[in-house]
């Protein structure tokens, strides 16, 4: 829809890459729920793997969850970078990046749209 068209145009103008939709689904996190650590890439099927993962805050309770990127910086292992998730904001990153969404610390639902993209 409109959001995916906006993201594709934004990415095209900013990074000179044209995105194509691969998949789209919603994560609904109840109070106390978190996601598990993962990547969007199946190492046994790299031809079909998405290039980028995008998380978009549909309905996020204020200050209630973050996306955590896990990485090694070639000198120190097990590093992480925390990005708060907010309504109407998106975070886009390479699909090979390991990530998870932290525990929902609010008393309400958090709804996050996850979109996978390839580029041409």
């Amino acid at each position: 829809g409109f959001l995916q068209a906006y993201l594709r145009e934004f990415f095209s103008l900013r990074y000179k890459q044209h995105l194509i939709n691969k998949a789209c689904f919603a994560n609904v996190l109840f109070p106390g729920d978190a996601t598990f650590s993962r990547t969007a890439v199946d190492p046994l099927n790299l031809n079909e793997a998405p290039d980028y993962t995008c998380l978009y805050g549909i309905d996020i309770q204020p200050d209630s969850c973050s996306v955590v990127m896990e990485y090694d910086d070639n000198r120190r292992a097990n590093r992480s970078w925390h990005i708060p998730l907010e309504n109407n904001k998106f975070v886009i990153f390479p699909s090979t990046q390991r990530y998870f969404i932290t525990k929902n610390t609010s008393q309400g639902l958090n709804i996050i749209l996850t979109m996978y993209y390839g580029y041409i």
Side-chain angles (χ1 to χ4, degrees):
F2 175 75
L3 173 64
Q4 289 190 341
Y6 170 80
L7 289 171
R8 285 192 310 267
E9 289 174 19
F10 171 86
F11 211 79
S12 178
L13 288 170
R14 180 132 188 195
Y15 300 107
K16 308 297 186 242
Q17 290 182 344
H18 300 285
L19 299 181
I20 54 171
N21 298 342
K22 290 271 195 173
C24 181
F25 59 91
N27 289 298
V28 178
L29 299 180
F30 288 86
D33 281 355
T35 66
F36 58 90
S37 180
R38 63 176 176 252
T39 69
V41 173
D42 176 359
L44 300 177
N45 191 7
L46 293 177
N47 287 336
E48 297 298 319
D51 296 301
Y52 294 103
T53 298
C54 179
L55 303 177
Y56 178 76
I58 294 175
D59 189 11
I60 307 286
Q61 305 305 311
D63 303 317
S64 63
C65 69
S66 298
V67 60
V68 177
M69 309 285 179
E70 301 173 318
Y71 67 96
D72 295 338
D73 69 2
N74 297 325
R75 291 186 56 207
R76 293 174 286 289
N78 302 319
R79 308 284 290 173
S80 63
W81 187 30
H82 299 247
I83 304 167
L85 291 173
E86 300 175 27
N87 286 336
N88 301 315
K89 302 267 174 118
F90 64 88
V91 179
I92 191 165
F93 50 90
S95 290
T96 55
Q97 178 66 53
R98 181 162 289 284
Y99 76 98
F100 68 94
I101 299 170
T102 62
K103 181 171 75 170
N104 177 359
T105 59
S106 76
Q107 295 302 310
L109 295 177
N110 281 343
I111 303 171
I112 301 138
L113 186 64
T114 301
M115 297 167 280
Y116 295 148
Y117 292 102
Y119 74 88
I120 52 175

